[in-house]
Amino acid sequence: MLGALAALTCAAALVPAAAAPGAPAIVGGAPAAAGSWPSIAYLRGTYHDGNGDAHEFACTGSVVAPQWIVTAAHCTFGDGSRPPEQMQATLGVTDYNDPSAQVIGVDRFVPDPSYNADNQLGDIALVHLVSPTRQPPMPIATSGGSYSDTRGAPDAAGWGATDENGTAFSSRLQQAYEQVRSPDECSSLIDGFDPRTQTCAGTNGQTGACFGDSGGPLVETDSSTGHPALWGVTSYGPQEGAGLAPCSTSLPAVYTLVPAYAGFINSTLSQPATASGSPPSAAAAAVPVSDRSMSRTLACRRARKAVTAARKAERTARRRLTAARRHIGGAAAQAERTYRKAHRKRVRAAAAASRRCRAS
C-alpha cells in the first residue's frame, strides 16, 4: 500500500499507511532543530481489517489552517477502502514522544475526489482537527506563483525509516535537501508519472524519502515573500518496482503537486467539511504503535520483495526453457525442471505474502 510512498507510503517507529504502494522518512537526512518545521504534524491512526484484527499506521502532514492538515489521500483510508477508525495529530515538536506536544484528535477526512488508489494520482487530502492548533499554517503554492529551489537548504521532512532498506526508525523528525527534478526527468525515470499533478524529488545517491514520510511536506521558496511554501505532498516511492532497495536514493520519490490541487484545498477550507468518515472517538487518547505491528509491516514488505524476486527468476527460467526446446538433447528436460521449480517457488512466495500482508 509513500502507500501504498506511497507512500513516499507511512512507524514506532513509523508504520506506513496501509494504502501506500511503496509509500514513503528521510534517508540521508539529519535531525531537524526544534521549531524548524512549525507547521508539521505527525498523524497516527488505527483501523480493523476484514478479519477484525487491529492495525496502527502513521503519516506526516502540514497545518494549512487552524483546524486543517494536508496529507496524502492514502493516509485517510485505513484498510484501503474505508477511513481510519481513529486518528490523532501530534504537533509542535520534533520528537513525537515529547510530552510537551500538542495532541489533537481528527474527526473528518476529505480526500480529493479524483484520488485513484491504483496509480496514486490525486493522492492528497485534508484532515480536520476537533479543536484548533497553536501551530502556524504553512502557505500553499498556487498555480501562477513564482517559486524556486531552496538552494540546498532542507526542503523535505518526515518521521520514520532512515536507511535505504526501510528498517531503521526514529521518533525524531528528519529533514534533508531533496533535489526537485524537472517534469521531463521525472517522466523519464518513473513509469506512470503525471507531470500535470505530480512532481518528484531526491538527490541522487544522497537523500530521498522512505516508509513513514507519506503526506509530508516538500517545500519551495515563494519568490514574493522569501518564505517556504508547500510545493509537494509525499506520495510514493517507485524503487521496488525498479528492482531497487525500497528506499534507494538512486530514484526520486513521487510527490503530489500542490499547485495542481490548490483549488481543492482552498474550497475545502472555505466550506464546512463533508467527511468521508469520522472516528467514533475524535479526542481519543494516544494509540501506541506496537513493535508487533511494526514487525508485521516489515514482514509484509520482505514477503513482497520475495515475490518480486521469484517472479524475475520464473521469467528467466521460462526464457531458458523456450530456448532449450529449440535444440535437440537433454537440455530441455533440465530447463523444464528448473522452470517448474521456479514456478513453485513463486507460487509459495505469493501465498506467503498474502498471509503476511493480511496480518500487517
Side-chain angles (χ1 to χ4, degrees):
M1 297 246 302
L2 176 142
L5 291 141
L8 292 144
T9 258
C10 308
L14 209 57
V15 178
I26 303 298
V27 175
S36 55
W37 293 83
S39 306
I40 205 163
Y42 173 70
L43 301 173
R44 203 151 71 182
T46 63
Y47 67 94
H48 285 77
D49 63 22
N51 297 322
D53 295 327
H55 302 271
E56 302 110 349
F57 69 95
C59 283
T60 303
S62 301
V63 175
V64 292
Q67 284 185 262
W68 288 102
I69 291 173
V70 166
T71 188
H74 70 256
C75 295
T76 65
F77 291 92
D79 67 352
S81 61
R82 294 173 298 181
E85 294 154 19
Q86 293 181 348
M87 180 177 281
Q88 63 179 18
T90 300
L91 306 111
V93 293
T94 54
D95 186 327
Y96 58 70
N97 290 322
D98 189 331
S100 69
Q102 184 182 26
V103 180
I104 305 175
V106 170
D107 63 358
R108 298 185 184 97
F109 304 93
V110 187
D112 185 84
S114 70
Y115 173 57
N116 185 328
D118 293 331
N119 56 23
Q120 294 302 301
L121 294 176
D123 192 14
I124 190 168
L126 289 122
V127 299
H128 185 263
L129 303 176
V130 297
S131 60
T133 175
R134 300 185 296 263
Q135 301 309 117
M138 177 181 288
I140 65 168
T142 57
S143 298
S146 178
Y147 304 94
S148 60
D149 186 86
T150 59
R151 301 182 184 277
D155 61 357
W159 284 274
T162 56
D163 68 313
E164 292 196 346
N165 291 318
T167 58
F169 295 87
S170 173
S171 64
R172 291 282 305 278
L173 179 68
Q174 303 289 306
Q175 64 178 12
Y177 169 69
E178 295 182 16
Q179 179 186 357
V180 179
R181 312 294 184 90
S182 71
D184 287 345
E185 184 177 7
C186 295
S187 297
S188 68
L189 292 172
I190 301 166
D191 290 340
F193 179 84
D194 179 13
R196 298 168 301 172
T197 62
Q198 295 174 323
T199 186
C200 75
T203 305
N204 190 21
Q206 298 180 43
T207 60
C210 192
F211 303 123
D213 226 13
S214 289
L218 175 71
V219 302
E220 289 211 339
T221 302
D222 185 336
S223 300
S224 64
T225 66
H227 298 303
L230 186 62
W231 180 255
V233 170
T234 312
S235 181
Y236 73 94
Q239 284 79 357
E240 287 190 278
L244 299 169
C247 304
S248 169
T249 57
S250 297
L251 276 179
V254 177
Y255 295 77
T256 302
L257 184 64
V258 169
Y261 295 92
F264 158 70
I265 295 172
N266 289 325
S267 65
T268 303
L269 299 185
S270 64
Q271 299 174 13
T274 300
S276 65
S278 299
S281 177
V287 180
V289 180
S290 66
D291 291 339
R292 182 180 180 187
S293 177
M294 189 61 203
S295 297
R296 287 177 174 175
T297 299
L298 294 175
C300 171
R301 294 185 194 131
R302 288 193 293 268
R304 285 174 172 166
K305 288 180 67 177
V307 172
T308 299
R311 283 174 177 160
K312 184 177 179 181
E314 183 181 15
R315 288 195 297 268
T316 299
R318 185 185 297 117
R319 287 195 299 270
R320 289 175 178 170
L321 174 59
T322 300
R325 283 173 173 168
R326 298 191 185 113
H327 302 280
I328 298 174
Q334 178 60 40
E336 179 77 27
R337 288 192 291 272
T338 300
Y339 168 70
R340 289 180 178 176
K341 181 178 179 181
H343 175 72
R344 289 194 297 270
K345 185 174 181 179
R346 192 267 301 168
V347 170
R348 288 195 298 268
S354 178
R355 290 193 302 273
R356 289 170 182 169
C357 294
R358 278 200 303 268
S360 65

